[in-house]
Amino acid sequence: MAILANKKVAILGDRDGIPGPAIEACVATADGAEVVFSTTECFV
């Protein structure tokens, strides 16, 4: 994914939606993207 190439990524997942680790797994496939923060929160 060229849009994430050589970028730092902060991930905020949702407990009832898409959790942080799932998004992190997708970002890991992008060349050069670095996950600097990943969490799953409950937004009410």
Side-chain angles (χ1 to χ4, degrees), residues 18-27:
I18 303 172
I23 301 170
E24 189 172 352
C26 293
V27 171

Side-chain angles (χ1 to χ4, degrees), residues 6-39:
N6 301 315
K7 303 286 184 190
K8 295 183 186 297
V9 181
I11 299 169
L12 297 175
D14 183 19
R15 183 185 63 119
D16 295 328
I18 303 172
I23 301 170
E24 189 172 352
C26 293
V27 171
T29 64
D31 291 333
E34 176 187 357
V35 177
V36 293
F37 181 76
S38 178
T39 187

